[in-house]
Amino acid sequence: QTLPTYAFNGNPANNRIAALNGWKSFEIVTQGETFNNPDGSSYTMLGNIDGLGAYQMDGTSDLRFFLNHESPYSCESARASVSEVIVDRDLLRQAIQNAIISPSTVGDTGGVEFIKSM
């Protein structure tokens, strides 16, 4: 059985994952989503995300994610890009808890925003 899941911005039309057998899920970042950084800049996740790596940053509770994705630009030398996403680990933990206790079958994060920068 496939259950509906929501992307980070709550729009299931942008979601690219399916939860099975009672699992709940939500995306940390969604293709085409635009994030506004605290410094006033913004970034839109482009291309198809097809790789992921992460580690906890030294001396902080932040997690650094690296997302490999196809580049939407026509360029001979670069057909892929790597984007960095900084996530507050404690807020991500709260979002996961909210998704677990939510009576909804979708991963409702309770509105917790855990991305610090992209």
Side-chain angles (χ1 to χ4, degrees):
Q1 174 185 4
T2 300
L3 302 173
T5 57
Y6 282 111
F8 172 70
N9 62 5
N11 183 352
N14 293 334
N15 193 27
R16 299 185 62 124
I17 54 177
L20 302 173
N21 301 321
W23 284 78
K24 296 181 181 182
S25 64
F26 60 90
E27 294 184 0
I28 292 175
V29 64
T30 305
Q31 174 187 351
E33 178 180 13
T34 298
F35 180 80
N36 296 315
N37 287 302
D39 66 2
S41 65
S42 64
Y43 179 77
T44 301
M45 180 57 63
L46 302 172
N48 294 319
I49 301 169
D50 55 7
L52 174 71
Y55 68 91
Q56 184 169 343
M57 298 170 66
D58 290 338
T60 72
S61 66
D62 293 341
L63 301 174
R64 178 175 280 164
F65 286 83
F66 295 100
L67 294 90
N68 184 64
H69 51 94
E70 297 170 11
S71 176
Y73 307 108
S74 177
C75 177
E76 287 298 319
S77 62
R79 298 191 193 279
S81 299
V82 175
S83 296
E84 176 188 73
V85 179
I86 306 297
V87 171
D88 182 297
R89 180 193 65 197
D90 296 331
L91 291 175
L92 177 61
R93 182 177 291 144
Q94 182 61 53
I96 292 168
Q97 285 294 349
N98 290 349
I100 291 169
I101 64 172
S102 170
S104 173
T105 58
V106 298
D108 181 2
T109 64
V112 174
E113 295 188 18
F114 44 81
I115 294 179
K116 295 178 83 172
S117 67
M118 257 171 82

